[in-house]
Amino acid sequence: MLDYRCSGCGQRRLFGMGSANDRLRPRLRINNGLLLVRDDVGTRLVHGAADGLVYPAADRLVWLLPLLERTPSDVSAELSDVPVADTPLPALVRFALTA
């Protein structure tokens, strides 16, 4: 079970394998085993499709690096319903540039 503080509201959130799947909305496939998702309050998370584990995206930027290999139009098309600033993509680019 994952215990973290929601970046949006500051509340403590608990996610387990069963309950997380019901409340997570897939947004973007990172690779064949990881999905970038949002929970019910809008927090961006990395969800392991094989094991069901969930982590705050801001804590796992290195796992998002495969997104940088895709075309910008491909990534933005899958995230067309939200502004880029509301995603972990700006932090991902900064992370890649400073690594």
Side-chain angles (χ1 to χ4, degrees), residues 16-98:
M17 288 174 61
S19 62
N21 292 335
D22 296 336
R23 297 189 317 202
L24 297 178
R25 291 168 286 199
R27 293 291 184 201
L28 180 63
R29 183 169 301 284
I30 299 168
N31 59 25
N32 60 357
L34 297 174
L35 299 171
L36 180 63
V37 298
R38 281 180 32 190
D39 68 6
D40 57 348
V41 295
T43 304
R44 298 290 173 170
L45 305 166
V46 176
H47 180 244
D51 59 13
L53 297 178
V54 181
Y55 301 92
D59 294 345
R60 299 290 192 261
L61 289 176
V62 72
W63 292 1
L64 300 178
L65 287 173
L67 293 177
L68 296 178
E69 297 174 355
R70 296 170 60 181
T71 65
S73 59
D74 179 37
V75 173
S76 61
E78 291 190 48
L79 294 173
S80 62
D81 62 333
V82 294
V84 171
D86 290 344
T87 71
L89 296 178
L92 173 62
V93 171
R94 284 191 299 276
F95 172 77
L97 290 173
T98 59

